[in-house]
Amino acid sequence: MKAAFIDKFGAPEGIRFDEFPTPVVGDSDVLVSVAAVTVNPIDTYIRAGAFDAAVPLPFIIGRDMTGVVEAVGRHVTSFRRGDRVWANNQGYHGRQGTFAEFCCVQEELLYRLPPEADLRDSVAVVHSGLTALLGLRLRAAINPGETIFINGGDGNVGSAVLQFAKAAGARAIVTSAHHEKAAWSRELGADLVINYRKDDVVRTVLDFCPGGVDVYWDASATPDATRALEMTARRARLVFMAGLKHRTTLPVGAFYSKNLTLYGFTATDATTEELSVCADEINRALQARTLRPRIAARLPLSSAAEAHHLIENTTQFGKIVLLPDPGEIAA
């Protein structure tokens, strides 16, 4: 089979697109014919060696995919040939990634794709949806009637947080300095969009929500704990889930006197049970069409190095989706 893989950690130029052995299907494995994959920032960290994910070398890059079941192991009971499926948890903990014509997935880490969901475009939301739910449901526990502030709410993860927060009955405030992205946030249900380049963000938030926000979610690469504490309510929950090398100062007195909680997490550290809980909710959202993908570009799988370069060096409005069958791009 053809696959995009690396022989050593390094720059995007080190990604090869060449023949790679088709995986052997174990007793509890499912072999999937890959329909689409996408690139996440964490994928670039793993490829560069900046994030320890215990991967084999040579290593097929990528963690997300949608596809169709090709074959199943003899102990597999949940899937059969022809089923439409997805995964958002490959490419770490010793598992090969998804950027290949075929991907072998453990049965418990594979999920059925609802018939209402597009086979290829849905790949653009399965990782951001997982990240959003790990923070909203399993950490911050958003409740109906609460208010969430999403710094970076017009990005891929931020947009997923916005959609799940609105589905949970919360009010949502997001930041955006880009006209088209701001319009997208409003279309997804944002109650307030703040231009962080022109507006006083703290003042605008407190004018809209005088008691402070109940959940402060920072999806930017430069979280600011001091500013966060200025706009949070008592007993608020804070989520920092980006900024791999960033540092911020936590005002400890304000933090404990307001009885706040700060969460940090990665999807890579999620348990199988947590992944399954989030997968069920992602599927409900895909079925109801309340989790909408935004595609910035569609490229052939052979352009994996280009896709990684774009993610690292340009700003994309939406996800880059790569297709093993280049003919599907025009279709």
Side-chain angles (χ1 to χ4, degrees), residues 2-4 17 32-40 43 60-67 85-87 90 97-103 119-127 295 297-304 307-308 319-325:
K2 286 292 183 67
F17 184 73
V32 179
S33 176
V34 176
V37 297
T38 190
V39 188
N40 305 294
D43 300 334
I60 299 175
I61 60 176
R63 66 174 53 198
D64 305 336
M65 68 88 186
T66 55
V85 294
W86 62 273
Q90 301 302 290
T98 58
F99 275 47
E101 292 178 308
F102 295 96
C103 183
L119 178 61
R120 293 167 184 84
D121 288 357
S122 295
V123 77
V125 296
V126 296
H127 181 74
I295 310 297
R298 293 177 177 84
L299 300 173
L301 186 60
S302 58
S303 297
H308 271 239
K319 298 297 284 286
I320 298 176
V321 171
L322 297 97
L323 308 173
D325 181 356

Side-chain angles (χ1 to χ4, degrees), residues 3-285:
F5 60 94
I6 58 173
D7 295 306
K8 61 181 180 180
F9 301 113
E13 291 73 22
I15 298 173
R16 297 172 53 193
F17 184 73
D18 207 340
E19 291 294 331
F20 200 94
T22 301
V24 177
V25 184
D27 289 345
S28 300
D29 293 338
V30 179
L31 183 67
V32 179
S33 176
V34 176
V37 297
T38 190
V39 188
N40 305 294
I42 184 64
D43 300 334
T44 67
Y45 302 155
I46 293 173
R47 183 219 70 234
F51 189 94
D52 184 11
V55 299
L57 290 174
F59 169 62
I60 299 175
I61 60 176
R63 66 174 53 198
D64 305 336
M65 68 88 186
T66 55
V68 178
V69 173
E70 182 74 15
V72 300
R74 63 193 184 100
H75 293 162
V76 172
T77 59
S78 302
F79 302 98
R80 62 182 181 181
R81 193 173 191 275
D83 287 344
R84 301 182 341 139
V85 294
W86 62 273
N88 57 6
N89 46 49
Q90 301 302 290
Y92 58 95
H93 290 342
R95 299 189 288 271
Q96 288 286 0
T98 58
F99 275 47
E101 292 178 308
F102 295 96
C103 183
C104 201
V105 185
Q106 298 170 32
E107 180 181 18
E108 62 183 0
L109 295 176
L110 189 66
Y111 315 110
R112 195 177 302 277
L113 187 69
E116 295 83 359
D118 185 275
L119 178 61
R120 293 167 184 84
D121 288 357
S122 295
V123 77
V125 296
V126 296
H127 181 74
S128 53
L130 168 65
T131 307
L133 289 170
L134 286 171
L136 279 181
R137 291 285 193 248
L138 303 183
R139 271 66 173 183
I142 192 85
N143 295 306
E146 291 190 318
T147 301
I148 182 172
F149 171 80
I150 312 166
N151 193 37
D154 61 4
N156 293 312
V157 171
S159 293
V161 174
L162 168 59
Q163 292 178 78
F164 279 118
K166 292 303 297 181
R171 296 194 307 171
I173 306 168
V174 305
T175 58
S176 179
H178 185 284
H179 176 73
E180 192 176 2
K181 290 183 177 181
W184 172 246
S185 296
R186 293 188 186 97
E187 188 177 334
L188 296 179
D191 297 278
L192 177 66
V193 179
I194 302 174
N195 186 327
Y196 61 85
R197 289 182 181 153
K198 296 180 178 180
D199 302 327
D200 182 328
V201 175
V202 175
R203 184 73 266 155
T204 305
V205 168
L206 293 178
D207 285 345
F208 181 81
C209 186
V213 299
D214 303 290
V215 177
Y216 182 104
W217 184 298
D218 205 314
S220 76
T222 55
D224 184 337
T226 299
R227 190 182 76 159
L229 267 61
E230 291 177 7
M231 64 178 81
T232 48
R234 296 185 63 82
R235 295 183 177 270
R237 291 86 72 199
L238 293 80
V239 178
F240 290 174
M241 43 68 59
L244 190 63
K245 297 181 179 179
H246 185 66
R247 299 290 184 271
T248 185
T249 299
L250 178 68
V252 174
F255 180 76
Y256 73 71
S257 63
K258 291 177 74 172
N259 200 3
L260 304 178
T261 305
L262 173 62
Y263 293 99
F265 69 93
T266 68
T268 304
D269 196 46
T271 66
T272 300
E273 292 73 20
E274 289 173 330
L275 290 169
S276 180
V277 168
C278 293
D280 287 344
E281 188 153 355
I282 289 170
N283 271 346
R284 286 193 291 271

